[in-house]
Amino acid sequence: MIRSIAIVVITLLMFGAKAQQLTVSSPNQKISVSLVNLQNAGTGEWYLKIAYAGSNNKTTEAISRIDLGLVLNNQDYAKELHFVSSTKPVLIREQYTALHGKKSQRSNLGNEAAFAFENKSKSRLNLLLRVYNDGVAFRYALPGKQGSYTVNDELTSFTISPETTRWMEKWNPANEGLYTAMSNDKVQQQEWCYPALFNTGDSSCWFLLHESDVNRNYCGSKLSNTADKSKYKVTFPDPKDGRGKGEALPTISLPWQSPWRVIIMGSLADVVASTLVEDVAPASSLQKTDWIKPGLVSWNYWSDNHGTKDFKTVCHFTDLAAAMKWPYTLFDWEWDAMGNGGNLEDAIKYSLSKGIKPLIWYNSGGDHTWVSATPKDRMLTHENRVAEFTKLRQLGVAGVKIDFFESEKQDMIRYYLDILEDAAQFEIMVYFHGCIVPRGWSRTYPHLMTYEAVRGAEWYNNGPEFTFTAPEHNTILPFTRNVVGPMDYTPVTFTNSQFPHLTSYGHELALSVLFESSLQHLADRPEGYYDLPDAPKSFLKEIPTCWDETKLIDGYPGKDVTIARRKENNWYIGGINAEIREKRKTIPLSFLTSGKKYKLTLLADGNHDKDFKTSYSVVDSNSTFPVKLLRRGGFAALLTLVQ
């Protein structure tokens, strides 16, 4: 990371002998964050407010107030904080390469300042503030050299004006709910999952609330407006989570820093393209990474949830991966009970003989989960993991899927990170399921390939609800959950499982582009892919799972979305419609390299939901193309460089 004195003014406004307001702006001057004293004095309660300069040079007060403070078991850092000093702002300029995700070459530019406070007992609290071109991040720091304490409360709270439209998911430990759109008198009072999306009265000003760099020194948090409808307070886990196991309040040791409170901000396209949650996370802890290989995965659970008990079923899905040129197949739960012609070792040998690397499922185990599905407890301790990873490495297994965490308490955060550190020693990739939403860990631990933490295609097996809610839900996820990190929705299912689709085949194909996950588990049964026409089948043989560039073309949460992603010289586009009326769109291609020609393969909705209309043309950056989307329909496109 390169830091230099920032070319930015940190403004000090004097309202009296001790009163002060300090403002730090983003390098592009679009975002400004002010530190304000509630009592207009040098001592008291402090908050941040954020303004955004959007379209037509209009400045919007995006967040009018972010309350600050901590309460420890023996110290109060909130009500009577005395401002001591601030640092000169410095320009943070960092570039790094991501092994997977929505963008390979990352470049963060932001201005950083630190503010020091003292409480009544002269104990120090620091606030570190960064203002980037695509958002804001801040964290607390306690600079003492020793001591352990319990954090009884974090007072960080975001005041949101009633007219601000918001898309939020009611809190649930697996992060598998639906998003609700609300504003004004429709705003509900609940506990809420991260991330949460907001749109101010200025249509060009959107922001997404989240957190990053949650580590062993804290717990995961959520948002709650149960006490005040307009205030979303950072809230610790419920003591009942994880069957009541583990402490809900985090214990910290000095010196200490909190997780980053992250606010991605800008146009809707800026939000979708942002990598800020990973940008503020620590750099990769791994020296050797050539064993980390993203790719597509065949998966038998969606169409046959006891499929891995059957050796022949496992072989059929291995054959699917081989036929589709996908590098992986997943052996899901109950592989320890496999029969009907072979056991786990036989299935692994068969998979490797076809050139397919197996991934394998585990129950996270322990008293924190009611789920008894096996194998259980083999990931629970360091000794268990070393024994299991040793065996898996010898057998040729490439990665593990670990399920049912059911808590974001501090002990569970430590468990996640212990798994990642042990897996790295054996060059085993990791996929978390029934789990936390990404907190930037994929940068620090790049062998963490994906997370579930989404209501995905699995919910077609859980009841009739998803049949009707999936189309709208699918158009919200690219603006919310998938912004903050990889998301294994297990997409692209053409046949039906226990409950049917209402989405078209074009809609389903588009999800392979819209939903980013470096291990992308395609969930349909083999004939669902074998029976496709040649063009969409070829598309699914070639679709990447990690990207060099991502651009939102158009869309609005709950209505429709079209995203373009680049891999090397080729671009892939996915677009879907949530509504029950047909739509016609004209897709601009101005993002293509100027002066170059591309072959466009368009895979659009045909005459009915299960029909494709395929067309080919030559285009350039000045071109557009028309496309029809059926109700709940969609399309996919491939642009390959020809000149």
Side-chain angles (χ1 to χ4, degrees), residues 524-541:
D524 210 344
R525 50 182 54 83
E527 55 268 30
Y529 302 112
Y530 293 152
D531 293 345
L532 289 173
D534 287 344
K537 188 187 300 182
S538 295
F539 186 88
L540 289 175
K541 290 180 179 180

Side-chain angles (χ1 to χ4, degrees), residues 283-594:
S284 174
S285 61
L286 305 184
Q287 298 298 317
K288 183 174 178 288
T289 59
D290 58 351
W291 52 277
I292 301 170
K293 296 187 183 300
L296 291 158
V297 189
S298 68
W299 183 52
N300 66 46
Y301 174 85
W302 184 82
S303 59
D304 185 345
N305 66 12
H306 295 284
T308 307
K309 291 179 71 172
D310 189 299
F311 173 74
K312 289 185 171 58
T313 298
V314 171
C315 291
H316 291 325
F317 278 83
T318 296
D319 292 340
L320 169 65
M324 295 296 291
K325 301 180 181 178
W326 302 339
Y328 302 107
T329 190
L330 174 67
F331 302 163
D332 215 284
W333 67 341
E334 301 173 320
W335 53 259
D336 54 332
M338 193 183 303
N340 193 24
N343 58 19
L344 174 67
E345 287 75 12
D346 297 321
I348 291 174
K349 288 177 183 177
Y350 183 84
S351 178
L352 294 174
S353 75
K354 298 290 184 176
I356 304 302
K357 295 179 181 178
L359 310 173
I360 193 168
W361 180 95
Y362 287 88
N363 187 328
S364 65
D367 292 336
H368 60 267
T369 177
W370 293 98
V371 181
S372 59
T374 61
K376 188 175 180 180
D377 296 336
R378 301 191 193 186
M379 293 288 123
L380 198 56
T381 68
H382 171 71
E383 291 74 21
N384 291 153
R385 292 188 294 272
V386 167
E388 202 68 14
F389 290 151
T390 298
K391 179 178 71 176
L392 296 182
R393 180 76 183 272
Q394 293 170 347
L395 290 171
V397 173
V400 292
K401 170 183 176 180
I402 305 176
D403 206 346
F404 303 124
F405 290 90
E406 302 184 21
S407 163
E408 297 184 4
K409 296 175 184 175
Q410 188 173 20
D411 67 327
M412 196 59 63
I413 299 299
R414 290 170 175 162
Y415 183 30
Y416 280 116
L417 300 180
D418 288 346
I419 289 171
L420 290 171
E421 293 190 353
D422 286 344
Q425 299 303 309
F426 292 87
E427 299 187 350
I428 298 288
M429 296 184 293
V430 177
Y431 161 26
F432 290 135
H433 195 86
C435 63
I436 196 168
V437 169
R439 292 325 204 262
W441 294 343
S442 288
R443 181 182 181 190
T444 312
Y445 304 98
H447 60 301
L448 173 53
M449 309 301 287
T450 192
Y451 311 65
E452 186 193 26
V454 66
R455 181 166 295 203
E458 181 179 296
W459 279 76
Y460 283 113
N461 289 340
N462 295 343
E465 164 262 306
F466 204 55
T467 294
F468 302 98
T469 58
E472 179 179 333
H473 182 60
N474 293 349
T475 64
I476 296 173
L477 294 175
F479 302 110
T480 52
R481 164 64 182 86
N482 213 184
V483 169
V484 302
M487 176 186 80
D488 198 39
Y489 175 105
T490 62
V492 192
T493 53
F494 302 106
T495 68
N496 289 323
S497 186
Q498 295 185 40
F499 295 92
H501 296 72
L502 293 178
T503 53
S504 75
Y505 276 22
H507 185 118
E508 290 296 315
L509 185 66
L511 300 183
S512 66
V513 180
L514 288 174
F515 294 163
E516 180 267 309
S517 176
S518 62
L519 286 178
Q520 185 79 284
H521 294 69
L522 301 190
D524 210 344
R525 50 182 54 83
E527 55 268 30
Y529 302 112
Y530 293 152
D531 293 345
L532 289 173
D534 287 344
K537 188 187 300 182
S538 295
F539 186 88
L540 289 175
K541 290 180 179 180
E542 299 172 2
I543 186 75
T545 64
C546 57
W547 306 97
D548 295 322
E549 193 173 356
T550 292
K551 290 183 178 293
L552 174 69
I553 295 177
D554 69 10
Y556 190 87
K559 295 184 180 298
D560 55 55
V561 58
T562 304
I563 287 177
R565 301 189 193 268
R566 180 177 63 85
K567 183 66 173 179
E568 298 177 346
N569 292 322
N570 296 334
W571 284 89
Y572 298 76
I573 304 175
I576 58 173
N577 176 20
E579 298 184 283
I580 57 172
R581 60 183 179 89
E582 182 180 296
K583 292 185 179 181
R584 294 181 183 270
K585 287 182 171 291
T586 299
I587 308 300
L589 298 176
S590 55
F591 54 84
L592 297 177
T593 303
S594 179

Side-chain angles (χ1 to χ4, degrees), residues 2-37:
I2 301 171
R3 298 190 182 191
S4 59
I5 297 298
I7 305 174
V8 63
V9 176
I10 181 166
T11 306
L12 177 62
L13 300 177
M14 302 303 294
F15 296 110
K18 295 182 179 180
Q20 46 200 316
Q21 174 177 302
L22 301 104
T23 300
V24 181
S25 297
S26 60
N28 65 7
Q29 300 295 304
K30 285 191 172 184
I31 303 173
S32 59
V33 183
S34 299
L35 175 68
V36 187
N37 180 266

Side-chain angles (χ1 to χ4, degrees), residues 39-54:
Q39 290 79 21
N40 283 338
T43 300
E45 298 172 76
W46 297 83
Y47 66 91
L48 300 174
K49 65 178 181 180
I50 303 179
Y52 179 76

